[in-house]
Amino acid sequence: MRGLNLDHLRIFLDVIELGSFSAAADRHGLTQPAVSLQVRQLERRYGLRLAERVGKRVTATAAGRDLLAHIRAIDAAVEQAERSMQAHSAQVVGRVRLGTGATACTYLLPPLLADLRRRFPALEIVASTGNTADVLRGIEANTLDIGLVTLPASGRMFQVTPVLEDEFVAIFPGTDKVPAAITPQALAERPVVLFEPGARTRELVDNWFEMAGVQARPTMELGSTEAMKELVAAGLGCAILPALAVPKRRESALQVRSLTPRLSRTLAVVLRSDKPLHRGLAQLHTALLALRQGHG
């Protein structure tokens, strides 16, 4: 394709289809010598005779007929590219890569993503889960377009917007006798199920215990909030979870209590500060920022 002029191809096609250099010149608003020159330039490029006159009509040679098939395919591809670009300018289309934590993906984002799909059916949002460090690495490497993560999210290249505070709660089996105050000291004496090490939520919970001068000794360390709830409901201990993971219609098999002192985390929307906001990404960004109103 290097140095290939699409106008020359189009003119050659018209010369053959109309059977005349002058008719093709009229169609393109050119002089007949200009059209002849462009066809000759094509012939020089390939070192082949592409057109010949048979009687009063210009026809294609064998090489010219082969080239015409390619020109029609190129024409169709160019037209498809035009339609695709027009769609991008006229509507919200494309693919957006979202990184977030498992809890937010499970309990917070489904209604938001469903609403975006309803409003913009041509927009594809691909959500992947990971801890904050994983998501930030993906955004930095541009393998993710946007993230919803637990703070802190440090880095000069990031644009970070806090959107939601999520309180931590303790959950107990429904039949357990629950302490009056859910303090680090009270939980340190019990079998406790915690998030697996490496998660930002686990760091926050560990710090909560350490600030009180005690250390949790988890009986299990898991990455799934649903698994943690099932273990607690089965009577295998208590657990500390983000309140997002405990729906308002709480399971009767669980008792839910606030922590003393209170513990919470902040979820934030993260982008590269130099990331262009195409229409699809802009719509997802706006929807994520609106979580501030929905959970204020």
Side-chain angles (χ1 to χ4, degrees):
M1 291 291 287
R2 185 175 180 183
L4 185 61
N5 190 314
L6 296 181
D7 289 337
H8 290 182
L9 297 178
R10 180 74 245 184
I11 285 172
F12 174 67
L13 176 64
D14 287 343
V15 166
I16 302 304
E17 288 186 342
L18 298 173
S20 164
F21 285 96
S22 59
D26 289 341
R27 173 173 287 184
H28 289 272
L30 299 171
T31 64
Q32 182 175 331
V35 168
S36 299
L37 175 62
Q38 292 188 24
V39 173
R40 285 198 302 273
Q41 287 174 334
L42 269 181
E43 291 179 326
R44 282 199 297 269
R45 174 185 176 88
Y46 295 114
L48 294 167
R49 187 78 178 273
L50 301 174
E52 60 188 3
R53 186 176 293 279
V54 178
K56 294 184 178 181
R57 187 173 182 84
V58 179
T59 62
T61 64
R65 287 193 298 273
D66 195 14
L67 180 59
L68 287 174
H70 292 292
I71 292 173
R72 292 188 178 102
I74 292 169
D75 251 6
V78 170
E79 184 178 347
Q80 186 177 2
E82 291 286 344
R83 287 197 300 267
S84 178
M85 294 304 98
Q86 288 168 4
H88 275 278
S89 65
Q91 58 180 304
V92 177
V93 299
R95 189 170 187 259
V96 181
R97 302 159 300 177
L98 166 67
T100 190
T103 302
C105 193
T106 303
Y107 305 103
L108 180 64
L109 293 182
L112 181 152
L113 298 177
D115 179 63
L116 286 171
R117 172 168 289 187
R118 178 185 58 80
R119 292 191 290 131
F120 309 112
L123 175 62
E124 180 188 8
I125 299 175
V126 180
S128 58
T129 60
N131 58 41
T132 293
D134 293 333
V135 173
L136 293 180
R137 278 194 293 268
I139 294 172
E140 183 176 359
N142 202 35
T143 57
L144 292 173
D145 298 307
I146 191 169
L148 179 67
V149 301
T150 300
L151 292 182
S154 57
R156 278 192 233 171
M157 69 171 55
F158 298 129
Q159 173 188 318
V160 180
T161 308
V163 292
L164 172 64
E165 187 178 10
D166 183 23
E167 184 180 359
F168 282 87
V169 294
I171 59 172
F172 300 85
T175 57
D176 263 23
K177 184 177 180 181
V178 178
I182 313 303
T183 63
Q185 291 84 352
L187 293 187
E189 297 173 357
R190 291 172 167 256
V192 59
V193 180
L194 295 180
F195 284 103
E196 60 190 2
R200 185 61 49 88
T201 45
R202 174 61 183 272
E203 292 177 19
L204 293 171
V205 171
D206 283 346
N207 290 340
W208 183 74
F209 279 103
E210 289 170 10
M211 290 291 288
V214 297
Q215 186 174 1
R217 294 181 176 83
T219 57
M220 296 187 192
E221 299 173 317
L222 302 172
S224 165
T225 54
E226 286 301 306
M228 294 168 75
K229 287 192 290 186
E230 289 296 325
L231 290 171
V232 172
L236 298 177
C238 61
I240 298 177
L241 292 175
L244 276 178
V246 185
K248 292 181 180 178
R249 183 181 291 177
R250 291 165 181 164
E251 299 93 332
S252 58
L254 295 175
Q255 301 180 69
V256 184
R257 299 288 187 271
S258 296
L259 300 178
T260 303
R262 186 176 181 272
L263 175 64
S264 67
R265 63 174 182 158
T266 301
L267 298 181
V269 177
V270 181
L271 288 163
R272 279 183 66 119
S273 54
D274 59 355
K275 182 75 174 177
L277 288 184
H278 62 74
R279 289 189 176 208
L281 180 54
Q283 289 293 340
L284 177 57
H285 184 239
T286 299
L288 291 173
L289 294 184
L291 292 171
R292 288 180 291 192
Q293 286 76 42
H295 295 80

